[in-house]
């Protein structure tokens, strides 16, 4: 079993995000607001990703079980990005429906879905290799066709980066101090989560992945769970 | 039961607290929404039962003792300074709540099954709230009068359009999208303006679980109508458009209710489309 500090941090993050999901989903059951449901799915996916990573730690490295959980972990990654994109862009599409800029946002959103499906397919079917002998770290690589692991993850980062820009626009446009702070916390939290994913492909900084990714999750959870003024 | 005393200036709060919960309640005497700041130490969720809050406000100043439940919803109100006076003892909400129908009985007039009754009652209340022409059909005028009086009481002194007619008087129905409910068959003949009302259905269901629920619903509806008055004031004095999220904050109401209030304003001929801007991103941030 390769369970270590990395998995403990991920387990803590999974617990926090699961609790956050329960609170938001209860709110959805009361108010039946579609946006609440969409955001609860973002948080649920976050919790699932963390839980899968914890599952990987239950197996020895470079075994079938470890590789299965690693593949599940990376395949699930685009789902959180596309769920967040839905939360950000769905109300804009509704708001600007019938206008040119609304059409542009719809096109962008459709492209993000295509990117999500493509990268999920590549990561789900690509060839997986264990890289300890080359890099001396507990790292897997997935290649697909002529594309390297870094190139596949770079394609996936299109979704994460678009979400970062969307959240930055939210921060800029919001005038109410409480909700501006909420948008800022979501922006910072998601930015850190994306940076955390990027760290996975930089062997020297790999150890920082759970800390940065986890901290990003905590910041998002804090932004969500703060009580708005009545 | 925890007891807190709060002194208000006209229209705002004089009491200063570092960290508090803020809620709006409608004062029957003042006829305005009153902002209560509840200090954390008085958190009703911690004490479990009702939280009694004495608010001194208005011009001339008067005392109102509000009873709040764990969800900070008003379950009752007393006026200690005039508690023995005629004003409170003959307050219509209390008279009917004591002598007339309970909220459960009133709701049951709108359907044979509980779920249908709540759904129909809520639809009818919302149509009446947006000042759509509302009609109740009942051949037994005593029964019809009782239901109508109770609904009018829910909208205390707010000038709604609610008419009781006999079945053979259907030709008296007017309006483009009137709402007509037959109390005998417990079915709508016409439902009125098409609106999404899950917020209201949840509100009614929530309130019905509690004691003194007639008063609670009346207070919630009164708050909405007060906010509607503020909405009309703001829209009549502003020339530029305003985001719906900002408008909701300015008139102290939840966003889902604002949709209903803007519908009311449209029914009164106010230009909502150019004056109120739908803030999609803002709504996303307010969805949890």
């Amino acid at each position: 079993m390769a369970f270590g500090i990395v998995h403990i941090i991920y387990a803590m993050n999974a617990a926090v995000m699961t609790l956050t999901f329960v609170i938001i989903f209860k709110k959805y059951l009361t108010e039946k607001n579609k946006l609440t449901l969409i955001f609860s799915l973002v948080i649920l996916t976050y919790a699932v990703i963390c839980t899968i990573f914890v599952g990987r730690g239950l197996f020895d490295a470079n075994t079938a079980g470890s590789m299965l959980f690693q593949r599940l972990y990376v395949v699930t990654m685009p789902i959180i990005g596309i769920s967040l994109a839905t939360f950000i862009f769905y109300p804009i599409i509704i708001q600007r429906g019938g206008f040119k800029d609304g059409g542009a946002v719809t096109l962008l959103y459709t492209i993000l879905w295509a990117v999500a499906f493509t990268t999920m397919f590549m990561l789900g079917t690509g060839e997986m290799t264990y890289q300890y002998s080359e890099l001396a770290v507990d790292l897997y690589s997935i290649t697909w066709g002529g594309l390297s692991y870094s190139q596949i993850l770079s394609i996936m980062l299109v979704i994460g980066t678009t979400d970062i820009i969307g959240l930055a626009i939210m921060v800029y446009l919001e005038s109410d101090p409480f909700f501006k702070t909420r948008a800022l916390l979501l922006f910072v939290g998601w930015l850190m989560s994306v940076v955390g994913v990027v760290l996975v492909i930089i062997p020297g900084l790999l150890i920082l992945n759970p800390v940065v990714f986890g901290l990003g999750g905590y910041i998002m959870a804090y932004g969500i769970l703060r009580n708005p003024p009545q | 039961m925890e007891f807190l005393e709060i002194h208000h200036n006209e229209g705002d709060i004089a009491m200063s607290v570092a960290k508090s919960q803020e809620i709006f309640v409608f004062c029957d005497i003042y006829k305005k929404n009153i902002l209560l700041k509840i200090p954390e130490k008085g958190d009703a969720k911690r004490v479990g039962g009702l939280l009694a809050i004495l608010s001194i406000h208005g011009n001339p100043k008067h005392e109102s003792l509000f009873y709040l439940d764990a969800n900070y919803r008003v379950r009752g109100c007393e006026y200690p300074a005039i508690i023995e006076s005629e004003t409170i003892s003959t307050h219509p909400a209390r008279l009917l709540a004591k002598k007339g129908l309970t909220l459960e009985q009133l709701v049951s007039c709108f359907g044979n099954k509980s779920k249908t009754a709540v759904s129909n009652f809520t639809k009818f209340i919302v149509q009446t709230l947006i000042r759509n022409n509302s009609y109740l059909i009942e051949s037994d005028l005593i029964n019809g009068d009782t239901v109508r009086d109770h609904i009018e009481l829910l909208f205390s002194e707010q000038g709604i359009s609610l008419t009781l007619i006999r079945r053979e008087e259907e030709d008296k129905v007017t309006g483009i999208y009137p709402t007509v409910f037959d109390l005998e068959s417990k079915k709508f003949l016409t439902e009125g303006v098409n609106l999404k009302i899950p917020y209201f259905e949840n509100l009614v269901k929530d309130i019905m679980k509690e004691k003194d629920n007639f008063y609670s619903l009346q207070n919630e509806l009164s708050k909405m109508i007060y906010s509607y008055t503020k909405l009309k004031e703001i829209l009549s004095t502003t020339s530029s458009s305003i985001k719906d999220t900002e408008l909701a904050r300015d008139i102290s109401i939840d966003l889902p209710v604002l949709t209903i209030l803007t519908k009311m304003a449209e029914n009164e001929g106010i230009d909502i489309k150019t004056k109120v801007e739908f803030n999609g991103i803002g709504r996303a941030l307010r969805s949890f």
Side-chain angles (χ1 to χ4, degrees):
Chain A
M1 193 168 81
F3 207 88
I5 185 74
V6 171
H7 303 94
I8 293 169
I9 295 172
Y10 263 94
M12 286 163 58
N13 205 359
V16 170
M17 295 316 257
T18 303
L19 177 69
T20 308
F21 164 73
V22 170
I23 293 169
I24 299 176
F25 193 70
K26 272 176 78 176
K27 184 160 187 187
Y28 164 71
L29 291 176
T30 310
E31 297 179 4
K32 303 283 185 201
N33 182 335
K34 279 182 198 165
L35 287 167
T36 317
L37 177 64
I38 294 167
F39 201 79
S40 68
L41 290 178
V42 175
I43 298 302
L44 177 64
T45 316
Y46 213 114
V48 168
I49 286 174
C50 294
T51 308
I52 289 171
F53 199 88
V54 173
R56 192 189 124 173
L58 300 175
F59 298 89
D60 287 333
N62 204 18
T63 60
S66 173
M67 290 173 88
L68 174 66
F69 273 89
Q70 174 65 22
R71 199 179 281 279
L72 279 174
Y73 174 71
V74 289
V75 168
T76 316
M77 278 287 181
I79 299 175
I80 182 172
I82 199 66
S83 309
L84 187 58
T86 305
F87 174 74
I88 297 166
F89 295 113
Y90 171 75
I92 301 175
I93 291 168
I94 298 293
Q95 182 180 1
R96 303 302 296 168
F99 294 93
K100 272 188 183 176
D101 52 354
V105 174
T106 307
L107 179 65
L108 173 67
Y109 180 61
T110 310
I111 291 170
L112 291 182
W113 269 102
V115 170
F117 279 125
T118 306
T119 50
M120 284 170 77
F121 178 74
M122 287 174 174
L123 293 166
T125 59
E127 188 182 341
M128 181 181 277
T129 50
Y130 187 55
Q131 295 194 300
Y132 190 82
S133 57
E134 296 166 35
L135 303 171
V137 286
D138 188 13
L139 187 66
Y140 292 94
S141 164
I142 296 175
T143 54
W144 195 90
L147 294 174
S148 69
Y149 190 39
S150 301
Q151 285 169 330
I152 297 172
L153 289 181
S154 299
I155 297 170
M156 191 175 80
L157 277 177
V158 169
I159 306 170
T161 310
T162 310
D163 289 345
I164 289 170
I165 295 168
L167 288 169
I169 293 170
M170 272 189 172
V171 176
Y172 177 73
L173 291 180
E174 182 57 53
S175 58
D176 184 287
F178 175 84
F179 292 105
K180 200 176 190 71
T181 307
R182 172 176 278 181
L184 189 63
L185 289 167
L186 291 179
F187 169 75
V188 172
W190 180 245
L191 181 66
M192 290 183 73
S193 301
V194 171
V195 169
V197 172
V198 174
L199 291 177
V200 172
I201 55 176
I202 307 172
L205 299 175
L206 177 66
I207 189 68
L208 293 176
N209 160 265
V211 176
V212 177
F213 188 78
L215 203 57
Y218 291 145
I219 291 171
M220 287 178 81
Y222 175 66
I224 296 156
L225 299 178
R226 287 167 72 231
N227 275 329
Q230 296 294 302
Chain B
M1 187 182 295
E2 186 138 348
F3 183 84
L4 295 164
E5 186 173 326
I6 298 175
H7 296 262
H8 297 174
N9 286 331
E10 172 73 21
D12 63 12
I13 304 300
M15 184 174 176
S16 172
V17 287
K19 193 178 177 187
S20 65
Q21 181 81 22
E22 294 182 350
I23 61 150
F24 280 92
V25 294
F26 185 79
C27 174
D28 286 330
I29 290 180
Y30 198 27
K31 298 293 177 198
K32 283 186 179 181
N33 286 2
I34 301 298
L35 179 67
L36 300 180
K37 281 194 176 183
I38 305 158
E40 290 288 296
K41 71 181 183 66
D43 193 329
K45 285 173 186 167
R46 286 190 214 159
V47 290
L50 291 177
L51 179 69
I53 296 190
L54 182 67
S55 169
I56 302 168
H57 57 262
N59 185 17
K61 282 200 185 310
H62 60 275
E63 296 178 341
S64 301
L65 183 60
F66 295 102
Y67 295 98
L68 308 180
D69 66 13
N71 297 316
Y72 298 109
R73 185 166 286 135
V74 183
R75 294 295 169 211
C77 178
E78 288 175 355
Y79 304 94
I82 51 171
I83 202 151
E84 298 306 327
S85 75
E86 195 175 330
T87 312
I88 189 68
S89 59
T90 59
H91 189 277
R94 285 180 174 69
L95 281 180
L96 269 175
K98 282 177 184 171
K99 295 177 182 174
L101 301 177
T102 62
L103 185 60
E104 286 78 4
Q105 287 168 329
L106 179 62
V107 171
S108 70
C109 297
F110 286 79
N112 293 320
K113 291 182 180 173
S114 169
K115 198 175 172 184
T116 314
V118 170
S119 174
N120 287 345
F121 174 75
T122 309
K123 281 178 191 168
F124 193 82
I125 288 295
V126 172
Q127 294 293 329
T128 310
L129 179 68
I130 66 169
R131 308 214 171 149
N132 199 10
N133 288 352
S134 304
Y135 296 87
L136 290 169
I137 295 181
E138 173 63 89
S139 298
D140 181 342
L141 290 180
I142 295 174
N143 282 345
D145 269 339
T146 308
V147 175
R148 185 192 59 191
D149 288 350
H150 280 73
I151 290 176
E152 283 180 343
L153 186 64
L154 283 174
F155 294 93
S156 51
E157 301 167 34
Q158 306 287 349
I160 54 170
S161 171
L162 174 59
T163 313
L164 177 66
I165 56 174
R166 288 195 180 92
R167 187 177 291 279
E168 59 271 21
E169 293 175 323
E170 279 181 42
D171 56 336
K172 287 186 177 176
V173 173
T174 60
I176 302 171
Y177 300 109
T179 180
V180 185
F181 190 83
D182 186 342
L183 286 169
E184 292 168 46
S185 64
K186 299 188 178 180
K187 283 179 182 167
F188 276 104
L189 298 188
T190 58
E191 292 193 8
V193 180
N194 188 21
L195 290 170
K196 290 177 181 173
I197 56 166
Y199 175 90
F200 279 87
E201 278 201 20
N202 287 323
L203 177 72
V204 172
K205 281 181 200 165
D206 222 24
I207 285 176
M208 284 184 69
K209 291 176 192 164
E210 306 294 336
K211 287 179 182 174
D212 213 354
N213 45 28
F214 195 97
Y215 179 81
S216 291
L217 185 57
Q218 190 202 34
N219 197 277
E220 289 293 328
L221 291 171
S222 301
K223 267 165 55 182
M224 288 175 203
I225 291 173
Y226 173 77
S227 293
Y228 179 61
T229 310
K230 296 290 290 178
L231 178 143
K232 287 206 293 187
E233 273 175 29
I234 290 170
L235 293 186
S236 64
T237 54
T238 182
S239 53
S240 56
S241 68
I242 182 169
K243 284 180 182 169
D244 57 358
T245 45
E246 288 172 17
L247 184 59
R249 184 188 59 197
D250 291 347
I251 65 172
S252 317
I253 206 79
D254 292 332
L255 261 176
V257 183
L258 183 71
T259 311
I260 300 293
L261 299 188
T262 50
K263 200 62 154 177
M264 285 167 68
E266 273 185 331
N267 278 1
E268 289 199 35
I270 296 170
D271 182 11
I272 293 296
K273 279 182 184 165
T274 56
K275 285 200 166 179
V276 183
E277 191 184 330
F278 179 83
N279 180 7
I281 285 183
R283 279 179 181 249
L285 281 171
R286 286 159 180 78
S287 64
F288 48 83

